[in-house]
């Protein structure tokens, strides 16, 4: 399968490649964010908008899920948060005349960058079967189309309802309620492609699929491992937290195939030393690991910890904790002692000296936090890798005490909250029982489809209606060509969106675009101005209130769209749900959440306290582990060493500094030295030489998988880069075409977007 590069994509003459940077942020970040904001919003609107990001009475930054510190700076936003805000608060508009001018085929040929730049969607639009254009429809007509198509299905399981992690708690709660009243658990979400491996591993081992630290724990840690994460770009506010931790004496080890700028050194523009001086050196030790080598690294640490304990009994391992709170230690320890050094060195690509040096840091630290993101979650063996991180922390009692713990750093600003609200294809019985009791119905029990299974089901005609609450499914999902065919095979696709994207262009036989308010906008309902709530990466729940005038008078809030859709689509003899009341006053929704979901008791009152409230986390709060054994579970994990055939490379697909997932803000990746181009492939210079390629030579990237299908991403320019031998990197979503649908992580079923076997061919 070959796929043409979109016409206005670069990979062309304008691309410039310079040396990568060794530090993040500082003054260039401030100027870059202001330039971007001014271009989208104008100067006055920029200042008003940016000053209310993450303030106690303002809106939650739609950027990432990093928590806000208790005491906030005047401007608690970062360069990339500012870009996320500008992207939504843009003054550009995509209205009916735009759709009259551009047939679907034209839109489908455009790049994500071009589509995103067209602006905010203003009107509900409908593409009737057989038409090559969207035309405006009324909201009532739109909901009637959804109702009609849902009713013609043979089973509610022929519909799937995707959620991207920006949806508020209130929207997510009414959405899953609607879907379950309809009779299915087909609730795939972006988590399936993101932190699902973390959720799977943590639920099994500690009993809750969420991280166990608060911001204060980072400040108090002796040692922080930042593994498989690029915070300088994706969680810039985390750099301030790491800086504070450093001020208080923490050591930091970064584990990453790439020397990411933000990890090495940080110039905080909110400090004089960050503006004028050299900033703070963040990383004390950088382990340049091979892709997928982390399981081996943590197994090696675990073996060394056990051996150090043998040498000096009672000094290394926390026996009291292990005895009182854990299960499976003996089996784990027997297995860990057998870890093969040869395998460790091969899998990690590190030297024994580097591993020993890191281990000295580990041994010297009483309180350890491990942070991670997509570098750990998007491999075949991601779940065992994260289990091994849990083993590592359990050994020394580093879970459930201050300054220590597990810190999976979430992506979308409310992805964690959406899961808490029941956006999950495998809901547990207790949740369904509570939901059914509250609303007087019997929720469906069989598990539904996750993201990958939804694509298979659409491809095979088993799912015929696809509804998306936000996101850009077609570009975010793996195996782009197959996913496009799957979506086009649907009878109806419905996108609830703020901005134009590829998922509007690659549509079912009928398609709807339902434009909604964004976080930054005032949400005026009949009971007055509404606020929504979100949960950050550390389980803090707080309010978010938009201030800006909506992008168009025709927009509805996500909550209103879902309530009206439910009201239109559900049969009238079902249990009575006051959809109109929910839509009028979100407090009514929160009252129900309070009765269904543990930890939300007295929700409306508590969330109005300054800063919101913390959800309970039994392992963190009381060292209670609600697992099947009632204890924290050590696990035994077969070591997976990713071996690649001769002449092949392992490709990871990553974010540039100028994108938010499938939203492309611009064509630069400043920290990695890339300007005005995205079709670049970062390769070790020796691998380039071994392949007989010159730096800068255009190549096709061809992925090889056991299904025998040849997947090709054409015309990438090679960049000699400090990545480990045998490992290369390129940006997503351009490379999603290479990720085979059936190449997923064991257990979590997450696409293996960080380890794809590829060969390079001189471009045709
Ligand atoms: N500005 C901005 N912010 C964002 C996003 C965005 O696109 N733009 N996306 C949001 C979302 S949804 C998410 S999930 C997060 C993503 O945040 P990240 O996970 O930081 O994002 P990626 O670009 O996928 O970077 C993965 C990092 O892991 C490293 N890595 C890859 N494979 C391995 C491995 O096998 N081992 C180790 N140790 N490291 C590895 C890569 O070199 C890279 O540094 O960011 C969120 N925040
Ligand atoms: N190859 C590869 N693929 C990946 C990844 C990778 O690292 N490599 N990362 C994966 C990860 S971690 C994730 S989370 C997914 C992301 O997958 P998604 O969440 O599906 O994708 P986004 O690009 O974040 O979605 C952007 C769109 O969301 C809409 N939007 C923005 N704000 C709002 C809002 O407030 N409300 C509504 N209703 N719509 C809104 C806009 O229309 C915008 O175009 O991609 C995954 N795909
Ligand atoms: Mo994500």
């Amino acid at each position: 399968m070959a796929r043409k590069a979109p016409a206005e994509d670069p990979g062309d003459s304008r691309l410039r490649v310079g040396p990568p940077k060794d530090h993040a942020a500082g003054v260039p970040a401030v100027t870059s964010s202001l330039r971007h904001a001014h271009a989208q919003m104008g100067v006055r609107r920029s200042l008003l908008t940016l000053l209310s990001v993450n303030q106690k009475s303002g809106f939650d930054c739609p950027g990432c899920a990093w928590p806000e510190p208790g005491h906030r700076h005047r401007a608690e936003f970062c360069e990339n948060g500012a870009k996320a805000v500008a992207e939504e608060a843009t003054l550009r508009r995509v209205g009916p005349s735009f759709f009259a001018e551009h047939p679907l085929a034209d839109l489908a040929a455009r790049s994500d960058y071009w589509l995103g730049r067209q602006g905010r969607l203003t009107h509900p639009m409908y593409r009737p079967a057989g038409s090559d254009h969207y035309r405006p429809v009324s909201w009532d007509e739109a909901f009637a189309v959804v109702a009609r198509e849902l009713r013609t299905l043979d089973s509610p399981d022929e519909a799937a309802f995707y959620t991207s992690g920006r949806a508020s708690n209130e929207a997510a709660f009414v959405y899953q309620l609607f879907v379950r009243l309809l009779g299915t658990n087909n609730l795939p979400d972006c988590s399936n492609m993101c932190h699902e491996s973390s959720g799977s591993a943590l639920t099994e081992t500690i009993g809750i699929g969420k991280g166990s630290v608060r911001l204060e724990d980072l400040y108090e840690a002796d040692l922080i491992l930042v593994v498989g994460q690029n915070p300088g770009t994706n969680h810039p506010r985390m750099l301030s937290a790491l800086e504070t931790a450093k001020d208080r004496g923490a050591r930091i080890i970064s584990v990453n195939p790439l020397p990411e700028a933000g990890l090495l050194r940080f110039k905080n523009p909110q400090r004089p030393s960050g503006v004028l001086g050299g900033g703070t050196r963040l990383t004390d030790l950088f382990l340049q690991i091979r892709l997928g080598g982390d399981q081996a690294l943590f197994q090696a640490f675990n073996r060394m910890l056990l051996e150090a304990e043998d040498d000096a009994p009672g000094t290394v391992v926390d026996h009291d904790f292990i005895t009182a709170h854990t299960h499976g230690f003996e089996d784990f320890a027997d297995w860990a002692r057998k870890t093969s050094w040869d395998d460790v060195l091969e899998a990690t690509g590190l030297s024994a000296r580097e591993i020993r040096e890191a281990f000295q840091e580990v041994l010297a630290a009483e309180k350890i936090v491990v942070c991670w993101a997509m570098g750990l979650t998007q491999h075949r063996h991601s779940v065992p890798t994260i289990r091994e991180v849990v083993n590592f922390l359990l050994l020394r009692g580093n879970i459930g005490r201050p300054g220590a713990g597990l810190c999976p750093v979430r992506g979308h600003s409310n992805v964690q909250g959406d899961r808490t609200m029941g956006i999950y294809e495998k809901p547990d019985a207790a949740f369904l029982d509570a939901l059914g009791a509250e609303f007087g119905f019997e929720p469906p029990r069989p598990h539904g489809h996750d993201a990958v299974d939804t694509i298979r089901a659409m491809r095979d005609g088993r799912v015929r209606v696809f509804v998306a609450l936000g996101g850009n499914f077609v570009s975010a999902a793996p195996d782009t060509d197959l996913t496009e065919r799957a979506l086009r095979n649907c009878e109806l696709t419905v996108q609830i969106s703020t901005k134009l994207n590829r998922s509007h262009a690659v549509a079912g036989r009928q398609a709807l675009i339902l434009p909604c308010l964004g976080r930054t906008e005032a949400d005026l309902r009949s009971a007055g101005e509404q606020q929504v709530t979100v949960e950050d990466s550390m389980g803090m729940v707080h309010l978010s209130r938009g201030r800006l005038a909506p992008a168009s008078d025709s927009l509805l809030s996500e909550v209103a769209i879902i309530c009206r859709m439910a009201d239109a689509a559900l049969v009238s003899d079902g249990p009575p749900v006051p959809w109109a009341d929910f839509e009028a006053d979100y407090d009514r929704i929160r009252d129900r959440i309070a009765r269904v979901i543990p930890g939300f008791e007295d929700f409306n009152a508590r969330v109005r306290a300054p800063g919101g409230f913390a959800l309970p986390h039994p392992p963190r709060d009381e060292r209670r582990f609600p697992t099947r054994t009632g204890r924290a579970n050590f696990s035994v994990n077969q070591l997976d060493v990713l071996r690649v055939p001769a002449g092949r490379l392992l490709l990871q697909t990553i974010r540039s500094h100028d994108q938010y997932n499938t939203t492309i803000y611009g064509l630069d990746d400043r920290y990695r030295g890339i300007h005005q181009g995205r079709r670049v492939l970062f390769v070790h210079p020796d691998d380039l030489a071994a392949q007989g390629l010159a730096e800068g030579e255009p190549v096709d990237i061809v992925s090889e998988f056991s299904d025998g299908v040849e997947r090709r991403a054409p015309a990438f320019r090679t960049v000699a880069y400090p990545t480990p031998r045998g490992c290369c990197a390129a940006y997503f979503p351009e490379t999603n075409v290479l990720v085979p649908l059936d190449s997923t992580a064991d257990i979590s079923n997450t696409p293996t977007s960080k380890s794809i076997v590829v060969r390079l061919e001189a471009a045709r």
Side-chain angles (χ1 to χ4, degrees):
M1 270 185 243
R3 186 185 181 78
K4 256 184 62 213
E8 69 287 356
D9 255 20
D12 62 8
S13 49
R14 282 175 304 145
L15 173 71
R16 279 183 297 118
V17 178
K21 298 254 181 310
D22 68 353
H23 67 268
V27 173
V30 176
T31 49
S32 162
S33 56
L34 288 179
R35 200 177 339 107
H36 196 86
H38 291 169
Q40 297 280 342
M41 305 192 273
V43 174
R44 205 183 113 77
R45 189 171 162 96
S46 299
L47 282 176
L48 287 175
T49 310
L50 295 178
L51 287 178
S52 66
V53 184
N54 288 347
Q55 297 300 307
K56 285 187 174 145
S57 61
F59 58 87
D60 180 64
C61 180
C64 68
W66 189 255
E68 283 82 50
H71 57 95
R72 296 167 202 213
H73 286 285
R74 177 93 184 110
E76 184 58 32
F77 62 89
C78 65
E79 175 188 3
N80 275 335
K83 288 183 199 161
V85 168
E87 185 73 20
E88 180 175 302
T90 179
L91 295 169
R92 300 174 192 158
R93 297 289 178 268
V94 177
S97 61
F98 174 91
F99 289 103
E101 267 168 48
H102 297 278
L104 264 85
D106 172 31
L107 298 178
R110 306 284 182 165
S111 69
D112 294 277
Y113 179 46
W114 186 91
L115 292 165
R117 263 183 313 166
Q118 303 313 303
R120 285 287 298 276
L121 297 158
T122 59
H123 287 77
M125 305 295 299
Y126 175 48
R127 181 245 185 149
S131 168
D132 58 359
H133 282 272
Y134 281 97
R135 63 167 171 79
V137 276
S138 70
W139 282 106
D140 284 347
E141 276 177 89
F143 297 130
V145 169
V146 180
R148 184 185 69 215
E149 292 310 320
L150 287 175
R151 287 194 189 138
T152 59
L153 298 177
D154 293 333
S155 144
D157 292 329
E158 290 180 359
F161 297 82
Y162 176 70
T163 309
S164 167
R166 257 192 213 176
S168 64
N169 289 334
E170 291 73 13
F173 185 80
V174 291
Y175 190 59
Q176 62 82 31
L177 172 63
F178 161 48
V179 171
R180 295 195 164 110
L181 282 163
L182 199 65
T184 181
N185 282 314
N186 285 346
L187 283 159
D189 70 348
C190 65
S191 264
N192 298 147
M193 303 184 275
C194 182
H195 263 295
E196 198 66 61
S197 303
S198 308
S200 301
L202 296 182
T203 305
E204 251 174 60
T205 53
I206 67 164
I208 175 169
K210 301 181 183 183
S212 74
V213 299
R214 297 199 184 145
L215 214 39
E216 297 70 40
D217 294 313
L218 255 92
Y219 302 155
E220 287 177 37
D222 297 327
L223 175 66
I224 302 171
L225 288 108
V226 183
V227 190
Q229 197 200 341
N230 178 20
T233 287
N234 297 313
H235 304 92
R237 288 179 298 120
M238 178 176 170
L239 299 185
S240 316
L242 292 177
E243 192 181 37
T244 305
K246 283 239 81 150
D247 288 348
R248 302 200 190 166
R251 308 273 296 168
I252 296 179
I253 300 180
S254 302
V255 186
N256 201 304
L258 305 178
E260 304 285 26
L263 279 173
L264 303 179
R265 183 176 284 281
F266 174 46
K267 294 189 182 178
N268 187 343
Q270 288 168 344
R271 285 185 175 190
S273 69
V275 177
L276 301 172
T280 307
R281 181 175 147 192
L282 291 180
T283 292
D284 297 289
L285 180 64
F286 170 47
L287 297 180
Q288 188 162 28
I289 197 162
R290 285 192 62 227
L291 289 169
D294 308 270
Q295 186 195 2
L297 178 67
F298 281 94
Q299 286 198 345
F301 284 159
N302 290 341
R303 174 176 165 173
M304 292 162 94
L305 283 170
L306 291 165
E307 288 172 352
E309 171 72 15
D310 293 343
D311 292 345
T315 62
V316 177
V317 165
D318 187 342
H319 291 290
D320 291 345
F321 173 78
I322 290 173
T323 308
H325 297 291
T326 72
H327 171 88
F329 172 71
E330 292 303 332
D331 289 346
F332 154 75
D334 289 347
W335 177 256
R337 286 175 201 282
K338 292 186 205 128
T339 303
S340 140
W341 272 109
D342 288 344
D343 285 349
V344 168
L345 298 181
E346 183 188 358
T348 61
L350 299 168
S351 67
R353 187 189 52 74
E354 285 173 302
I355 296 177
R356 271 199 305 273
E357 198 183 336
F359 182 70
Q360 288 314 313
E361 298 276 354
V362 167
L363 208 52
E366 211 161 283
K367 295 168 288 179
I368 303 181
V369 172
V370 181
C371 302
W372 73 89
M374 297 303 100
L376 285 202
T377 64
Q378 297 175 332
H379 299 286
R380 175 174 79 195
H381 57 308
S382 284
V383 175
T385 300
I386 296 161
R387 284 187 196 140
E388 214 58 68
V389 172
V390 174
N391 286 338
F392 170 73
L393 291 180
L394 289 179
L395 263 178
R396 305 185 75 197
N398 269 316
I399 297 181
R401 67 183 163 91
L406 295 151
C407 184
V409 182
R410 300 282 160 171
H412 271 300
S413 51
N414 196 38
V415 62
Q416 186 160 316
D418 291 344
R419 210 26 100 71
T420 308
M421 292 297 118
I423 302 294
Y424 191 26
E425 75 283 358
K426 299 194 279 272
D428 64 35
F431 173 80
L432 293 178
D433 292 345
L435 188 72
E438 175 66 23
F439 291 96
F441 76 116
E442 181 45 50
R445 300 284 162 163
H447 290 172
H449 296 310
D450 62 14
V452 164
D453 287 338
T454 296
I455 298 168
R456 293 185 181 128
M458 293 191 292
R459 174 193 63 193
D460 302 340
R462 288 178 285 116
V463 159
R464 298 194 292 137
V465 173
F466 177 82
V467 180
L469 176 54
N472 180 6
F473 189 74
V474 76
S475 292
D479 228 341
T480 314
D481 293 292
L482 194 160
T483 297
E484 289 189 355
R485 270 186 283 127
L487 280 161
R488 289 193 164 113
N489 202 25
C490 286
E491 183 53 44
L492 173 68
T493 52
V494 182
Q495 301 288 338
I496 303 169
S497 319
T498 51
K499 301 214 48 186
L500 186 68
N501 65 44
R502 274 192 76 73
S503 299
H504 306 117
V506 180
R509 272 180 288 280
Q510 300 173 68
L512 282 164
I513 299 175
L514 306 181
C516 65
L517 294 174
R519 283 270 173 85
T520 54
E521 289 165 325
D523 184 1
L524 202 60
R525 314 294 325 154
S526 59
E529 197 177 321
Q530 299 299 311
Q531 315 187 56
V532 294
T533 63
V534 294
E535 174 186 342
D536 68 31
S537 202
M538 296 180 181
M540 292 294 301
V541 180
H542 59 87
L543 284 167
S544 172
R545 174 196 284 179
R547 302 270 180 193
L548 297 180
S552 136
D553 291 341
S554 307
L555 302 184
L556 289 177
S557 71
E558 291 177 340
V559 168
I561 291 172
I562 297 158
C563 289
R564 292 188 196 185
M565 188 186 290
D567 206 22
L570 293 169
V571 288
S572 47
D573 60 356
V577 175
W579 298 111
D581 293 349
F582 285 172
E583 177 190 333
D585 182 354
Y586 302 172
D587 278 0
R588 306 280 185 89
I589 303 174
R590 286 186 282 268
D591 285 340
R592 301 304 189 102
I593 294 172
R595 289 213 285 268
V596 172
I597 302 176
F600 285 84
E601 298 76 17
D602 209 10
F603 189 6
N604 273 308
R606 282 197 299 152
V607 81
R608 284 179 167 84
F613 65 94
L615 287 174
H617 188 290
R620 179 194 65 202
D621 304 337
E622 40 182 321
R623 285 197 155 176
R624 190 165 61 74
F625 297 91
T627 62
R628 243 170 297 162
T629 60
R631 288 159 167 261
N633 291 317
F634 278 101
S635 57
V636 169
N637 306 294
Q638 190 76 42
L639 180 58
D640 197 355
V641 183
L642 298 183
R643 294 193 174 90
V644 177
R648 307 305 192 255
L649 300 173
L650 265 185
L651 170 74
Q652 63 156 326
T653 60
I654 49 175
R655 292 151 173 83
S656 80
H657 193 64
D658 261 2
Q659 74 183 82
Y660 194 93
N661 299 339
T662 70
T663 300
I664 312 301
Y665 300 135
L667 302 177
D668 296 346
D669 191 8
R670 199 171 75 236
Y671 294 159
R672 299 195 186 103
I674 303 298
H675 302 277
Q676 291 302 300
R678 288 184 51 85
R679 294 186 84 83
V680 291
L681 177 69
F682 301 98
V683 194
H684 192 283
D686 295 347
D687 282 325
L688 277 180
Q691 305 253 343
L693 293 166
E695 170 159 23
E697 194 167 330
V699 293
D700 289 359
I701 314 174
V702 184
S703 110
E704 296 180 346
F705 187 62
S706 54
D707 60 5
V709 177
E710 187 182 279
R711 296 170 173 84
R712 181 180 294 268
F716 278 69
R717 202 180 121 172
T718 55
V719 174
Y721 203 78
T723 171
R725 283 291 313 260
C727 299
C728 60
Y731 302 129
F732 110 90
E734 286 82 350
T735 46
N736 285 40
V737 65
L738 298 171
V739 185
L741 184 67
D742 294 332
S743 176
T744 60
D746 295 340
I747 300 171
S748 65
N749 210 24
T750 296
T752 59
S753 305
K754 295 289 189 276
S755 44
I756 307 156
V757 178
V758 298
R759 65 171 196 271
L760 309 184
E761 287 182 2
R764 294 168 178 173

